[in-house]
Amino acid sequence: MKKTQLLFALSVLLYSCQTSDDLFLEKRVEEDLITTNKNQNFYLDLAYRHAPIHYQDVDNTGSHGLSGKADYITRYDFDGDLNARNNWNNISNSSRKGKAVSYYSVVETSTHYFITYAFFHPRDWTDVWFLYRIDEHENDLEGVLTVVKKDNSTYGKALGIVTVFHSDFYSYKASNSGLTNGNENIDGTLTTKNDNGINRFKTSAEAKGHGIKAHAKLQPGGNDYVVYYPSKTTSEHPSNIYDRNVKYKLVNIFDRGGMWDQRFNTNLFSNAKSFRKSYGNGTANAPWNWDDKNDGGGQGLLAGGLAYYPAHLVDQYFDGLGRFSKTYSYNPYLGIQ
């Protein structure tokens, strides 16, 4: 009887210890999840605060431009699937509007934030018939890296940007940033526009190829262009090629099942870094494969450095940064979270 009671007492004790450990682990996981969600909510607010007003030039000539639709920004899965090799054809379907988004990510050091914005088009196209397939390709992704200095404010001060224009990067500074030329010459000064109390940088993308520069250096030709404004919740489609107020929704590259998670999906990406295609010459690179063809080979300057090592790239492109850390406290591209 005593032996039975002893065994029962030991089993209760062991069960109690195991349950306490389980509860402790569950609590830690729950706390970590809450912290992660808080951080991601802040990063969304941060990305929204510094997101650009984006001017998209539109060309409605030629059959491949789809009366301007081929120049509208949208999702890479606008057609409801994760097959990148049917986007060229599917965007021509009149029932598929292709609502506007910008994919974003945030990398952080103790002194700065680095926010990437990426804009997708199903077609990089031309209206010159003898260049069909030669100067065109299915899928297109160009973007912007915004440099934000931490200060006493909640969201910091945006100092400048680096834009992706095919295989070239262009750098621009805010008028009061104090930035000067680094190993690369600064290409101009940014202009801004007030959006409900927020002065936003103005960026601009060319028609057809969709390379991006500062609006001050690349303005739409003619009256046929669309102006996109950022939103945390709303994704809209232009009503026509003259629409001057279209919302693009910010979509986190690191959302569960998002662009980063899909990098090994061979229907979507080739070699985990370039969009698959079924048409044309050339490729659309993911942000972690963007590259300037002639800015050198140091850390941050190789293919993908803008995403993986943005502080290193910015340190090469600009001087006048002040106190500047290149140690990442949050960098999901490198697994630092």
Side-chain angles (χ1 to χ4, degrees), residues 56-125:
Q56 175 62 64
D57 197 8
V58 175
D59 192 328
N60 64 354
T61 62
S63 61
H64 287 195
L66 306 175
S67 300
K69 187 179 180 183
D71 289 322
Y72 297 162
I73 63 173
T74 189
R75 305 177 62 100
Y76 56 77
D77 57 350
F78 69 92
D79 51 2
D81 65 43
L82 292 171
N83 180 2
R85 291 172 290 185
N86 60 17
N87 287 340
W88 180 277
N89 289 329
N90 284 351
I91 193 60
S92 65
N93 188 322
S94 61
S95 67
R96 293 186 168 120
K97 297 298 185 183
K99 292 184 177 181
V101 304
S102 175
Y103 297 96
Y104 78 93
S105 64
V106 177
V107 171
E108 182 178 359
T109 69
S110 61
T111 60
H112 290 75
Y113 300 106
F114 306 89
I115 312 170
T116 295
Y117 302 94
F119 298 96
F120 178 83
H121 298 81
R123 292 185 175 190
D124 180 312
W125 64 282

Side-chain angles (χ1 to χ4, degrees), residues 14-172:
L14 288 171
Y15 177 79
S16 299
C17 291
Q18 184 179 8
T19 303
S20 297
D21 288 343
D22 288 345
L23 289 173
F24 175 75
L25 289 173
E26 287 176 7
K27 185 177 180 181
R28 283 293 302 274
V29 169
E30 185 177 332
E31 288 174 350
D32 289 345
L33 184 60
I34 291 171
T35 300
T36 299
N37 288 338
K38 282 183 178 178
N39 288 343
Q40 293 309 314
N41 289 338
F42 171 75
Y43 288 143
L44 172 58
D45 291 342
L46 178 76
Y48 171 73
R49 179 65 179 233
H50 296 294
I53 295 172
H54 191 61
Y55 290 69
Q56 175 62 64
D57 197 8
V58 175
D59 192 328
N60 64 354
T61 62
S63 61
H64 287 195
L66 306 175
S67 300
K69 187 179 180 183
D71 289 322
Y72 297 162
I73 63 173
T74 189
R75 305 177 62 100
Y76 56 77
D77 57 350
F78 69 92
D79 51 2
D81 65 43
L82 292 171
N83 180 2
R85 291 172 290 185
N86 60 17
N87 287 340
W88 180 277
N89 289 329
N90 284 351
I91 193 60
S92 65
N93 188 322
S94 61
S95 67
R96 293 186 168 120
K97 297 298 185 183
K99 292 184 177 181
V101 304
S102 175
Y103 297 96
Y104 78 93
S105 64
V106 177
V107 171
E108 182 178 359
T109 69
S110 61
T111 60
H112 290 75
Y113 300 106
F114 306 89
I115 312 170
T116 295
Y117 302 94
F119 298 96
F120 178 83
H121 298 81
R123 292 185 175 190
D124 180 312
W125 64 282
T126 182
D127 58 358
V128 181
W129 67 267
F130 57 83
L131 293 178
Y132 287 174
R133 289 186 176 272
I134 299 171
D135 192 28
E136 298 182 309
H137 57 81
E138 187 172 20
N139 303 314
D140 194 16
L141 193 74
E142 312 284 345
V144 177
L145 173 68
T146 298
V147 186
V148 179
K149 181 179 181 179
K150 294 182 179 180
D151 57 17
N152 293 326
S153 66
T154 303
Y155 301 114
K157 176 183 177 181
L159 302 179
I161 65 174
V162 176
T163 69
V164 180
F165 194 94
H166 311 302
S167 58
D168 290 296
F169 293 168
Y170 290 86
S171 57
Y172 305 93

Side-chain angles (χ1 to χ4, degrees), residues 114-248:
F114 306 89
I115 312 170
T116 295
Y117 302 94
F119 298 96
F120 178 83
H121 298 81
R123 292 185 175 190
D124 180 312
W125 64 282
T126 182
D127 58 358
V128 181
W129 67 267
F130 57 83
L131 293 178
Y132 287 174
R133 289 186 176 272
I134 299 171
D135 192 28
E136 298 182 309
H137 57 81
E138 187 172 20
N139 303 314
D140 194 16
L141 193 74
E142 312 284 345
V144 177
L145 173 68
T146 298
V147 186
V148 179
K149 181 179 181 179
K150 294 182 179 180
D151 57 17
N152 293 326
S153 66
T154 303
Y155 301 114
K157 176 183 177 181
L159 302 179
I161 65 174
V162 176
T163 69
V164 180
F165 194 94
H166 311 302
S167 58
D168 290 296
F169 293 168
Y170 290 86
S171 57
Y172 305 93
K173 65 178 181 178
S175 60
N176 59 348
S177 66
L179 296 181
T180 58
N181 293 335
N183 292 335
E184 298 283 329
N185 290 329
I186 294 174
D187 295 294
T189 300
L190 290 155
T191 53
T192 62
K193 184 177 181 180
N194 188 280
D195 173 28
N196 293 319
I198 301 174
N199 283 322
R200 300 189 181 279
F201 292 154
K202 293 163 63 177
T203 56
S204 184
E206 62 178 349
K208 303 175 183 175
H210 311 127
I212 299 174
K213 294 183 179 181
H215 180 263
K217 293 294 183 178
L218 177 68
Q219 297 183 20
N223 198 38
D224 48 348
Y225 64 91
V226 174
V227 183
Y228 291 97
Y229 290 81
S231 171
K232 291 187 282 187
T233 58
T234 304
S235 178
E236 296 178 334
H237 180 271
S239 58
N240 54 51
I241 62 175
Y242 310 104
D243 199 332
R244 302 296 196 258
N245 191 355
V246 183
K247 294 290 191 299
Y248 69 82

